[in-house]
């Protein structure tokens, strides 16, 4: 829900984390994904948090390297990296290596990034007002012509 993250097991509530308490930022939940370890990654309008049943939420904001706290979407890839699109623009990859900021200088067709997804081949795809971008490894390929005529132009 926009105001809480609820952990379920076999259809029963195990734990409920309400925004503004239990370590979650006091902001609406915008998106979430589950990693291979069963932890929920929660994007809010005030940063992201990793939530597990047995731990207090681990939250990240600008102090931890996000260049904006207003998360529009996130997804966890097969390597466990978290891809976060942010309202003020761009995309960030959070992993065991330093945070990678991806903007127009790195090859995105424009900002902001509205959504991000990961395909079976491990590539990440981002949607922007001026087209799509495919990110494989550290290679960003802009595909502005991939949108139907009139979409994202003007």
């Amino acid at each position: 829900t926009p105001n809480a993250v609820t952990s379920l097991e076999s259809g029963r509530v195990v734990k409920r984390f309400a925004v503004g308490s239990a370590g979650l930022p006091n902001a609406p939940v915008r998106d979430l994904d589950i990693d291979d370890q069963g932890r929920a990654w929660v994007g809010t309008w005030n940063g992201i948090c990793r939530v597990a049943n047995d731990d207090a939420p681990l939250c990240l904001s600008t102090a931890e390297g996000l260049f904006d706290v207003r998360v529009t979407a996130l997804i966890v890839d097969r390597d466990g990296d978290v891809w976060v699109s942010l309202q003020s623009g761009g995309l960030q990859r959070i992993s065991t290596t330093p945070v990678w900021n991806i903007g127009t200088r790195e090859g995105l067709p424009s900002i902001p990034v509205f959504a991000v997804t990961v395909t079976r081949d491990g590539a990440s795809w981002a949607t922007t007002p001026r087209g799509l971008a495919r990110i494989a490894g550290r290679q960003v390929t802009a595909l502005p012509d991939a949108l139907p005529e009139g979409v994202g132009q003007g």
Side-chain angles (χ1 to χ4, degrees), residues 40-113:
W41 287 87
V42 182
T44 75
W45 216 235
N46 198 17
I48 66 171
C49 295
R50 186 186 68 203
V51 178
N53 283 338
D54 53 351
D55 296 326
L58 169 68
C59 297
L60 307 173
S61 67
T62 53
E64 290 77 30
L66 292 180
F67 57 82
D68 183 6
V69 294
R70 296 169 296 165
V71 174
T72 58
L74 64 78
I75 192 166
V76 181
D77 70 17
R78 66 184 182 189
D79 296 326
D81 294 342
V82 181
W83 295 83
V84 183
S85 63
L86 300 161
Q87 177 67 24
S88 68
L91 185 64
Q92 287 189 287
R93 183 184 73 191
I94 300 167
S95 66
T96 56
T97 59
V99 171
W100 182 30
N101 299 319
I102 307 165
T104 54
R105 283 189 301 184
E106 290 73 28
L108 288 180
S110 65
I111 55 174
V113 172

